[in-house]
Amino acid sequence: MRSIGKVSLIGAGPGDPELLTVKALKRIQNAEIVVYDRLVSQEIMDLVPPKTALYPVGKKPRSHPIPQEEINQLLVDLAREGKRVVRLKGGDPFIFGRGSEEAAELVIAGIDYEVVPGITAAQGCASSLNLPLTHRGLATGLRYVTGHCQKDIPLDLDWASLADPNTTLVVYMGLSAIEQISGKLIEHGMPANMPAVAISKGTTSEERKVFGTLSSIGDLAKAARLPAPTLFMIGDVVGLKEALELPECIGSEESWSEKRPHLEVING
């Protein structure tokens, strides 16, 4: 009789396969079964060996063809067959990924599991834009929140806390609620002209982004018809875009010393 298998809860990162951890890649290539989400990029799925069994369990906004409870049970059942199971999630499995719910179910069933972290969308998207999430003198803290409205219930967040101008705010899954989020933040004291950016499919070949302010980013994202997944970064660090953007003169005979940004002014 074959022993009970093991489940690896793996973060696939924001989409770029080169951002996978070495451990994640090893587990993927050694898996007998991969249970994967919709947001895992095709480039990463192409790394799965051809003989590996694939179970798509992806969800879309307002469309959950396979309920979370069934996904939990699927992982338990596959592991009980003695399989090496990889549960592949976009970003990090424990950041808005419901990985802890799956882990809890595995514990109840007595199934061995491990967690392999992934680069979460906030880090991947910020790095893709050469933007920091924190910066001395501009952002002393960082907050991740979800803009997803569960069962159409209005968002009930600590708006006064989130409106702190010294904190970078990153909103996941907020495309449909960004106007509500922006309005609440402005209502609770965040400046309407706070720099903001919306990034769609960050780190992938389909990446698109629009820059604006807290008061305009919702309209700009809508006008650009940015597809999901779209992430929003709000905070003074977004205003560093020009200072951290290399000009076209780099690598040419044109003098860089005359054009370099004065970051010491930003640093205070």
Side-chain angles (χ1 to χ4, degrees):
M1 182 177 177
R2 189 172 184 179
S3 61
I4 295 177
K6 181 176 181 177
V7 177
S8 298
L9 303 173
I10 294 179
D16 182 350
E18 293 188 339
L19 294 179
L20 277 174
T21 66
V22 173
K23 188 172 185 178
L25 180 59
K26 286 181 178 178
R27 294 294 188 272
I28 291 169
Q29 294 182 332
N30 194 43
E32 294 176 284
I33 294 175
V34 172
V35 180
Y36 65 99
D37 280 348
R38 179 179 62 92
L39 295 182
V40 178
S41 70
Q42 185 58 51
E43 290 82 0
I44 289 175
M45 291 305 300
D46 288 342
L47 299 173
V48 178
K51 293 184 179 180
T52 303
L54 300 179
Y55 286 75
V57 294
K59 306 180 183 72
K60 295 181 180 180
R62 303 178 186 275
S63 175
H64 298 175
I66 303 180
Q68 185 62 47
E69 293 75 15
E70 291 185 21
I71 296 174
N72 298 346
Q73 189 60 49
L74 175 64
L75 297 176
V76 170
D77 293 342
L78 293 173
R80 282 178 173 161
E81 294 176 6
K83 304 294 187 180
R84 294 186 301 275
V85 181
V86 159
R87 173 67 173 107
L88 198 54
K89 295 172 169 288
D92 182 275
F94 277 11
I95 298 181
F96 303 130
R98 304 189 73 170
S100 55
E101 296 177 35
E102 295 169 359
E105 199 69 28
L106 293 170
V107 169
I108 292 171
I111 305 294
D112 188 19
Y113 78 95
E114 65 176 343
V115 179
V116 181
I119 292 177
T120 189
Q123 294 170 299
C125 290
S127 297
S128 181
L129 299 178
N130 292 333
L131 288 175
L133 289 168
T134 62
H135 185 84
R136 182 163 57 94
L138 292 182
T140 57
L142 172 63
R143 298 282 294 275
Y144 296 163
V145 298
T146 173
H148 176 64
C149 301
Q150 187 175 13
K151 297 180 180 178
D152 295 323
I153 299 173
L155 290 171
D156 184 20
L157 302 174
D158 185 351
W159 299 110
S161 174
L162 295 176
D164 179 5
N166 296 312
T167 296
T168 302
L169 180 62
V170 180
V171 182
Y172 288 67
M173 300 172 284
L175 193 56
S176 62
I178 189 60
E179 290 92 347
Q180 175 192 350
I181 293 168
S182 298
K184 287 289 187 180
L185 291 172
I186 293 170
E187 180 184 327
H188 285 81
M190 183 175 276
N193 63 350
M194 179 68 78
V197 60
I199 315 105
S200 170
K201 300 187 177 182
T203 80
T204 74
S205 59
E206 300 177 73
E207 176 181 292
R208 293 173 59 196
K209 63 269 187 183
V210 291
F211 286 84
T213 64
L214 180 60
S215 61
S216 69
I217 196 63
D219 289 337
L220 291 171
K222 251 184 197 175
R225 297 185 178 179
L226 295 182
T230 294
L231 176 141
F232 294 86
M233 278 180 61
I234 302 165
D236 281 324
V237 292
V238 180
L240 291 175
K241 175 183 180 293
E242 292 186 8
L244 296 177
E245 190 172 57
L246 287 171
E248 294 181 0
C249 69
I250 289 294
S252 70
E253 295 180 358
E254 188 174 355
S255 173
W256 166 238
S257 61
E258 296 177 2
K259 291 182 172 293
R260 64 186 178 189
H262 296 287
L263 285 175
E264 66 273 14
V265 175
I266 295 172
N267 283 329

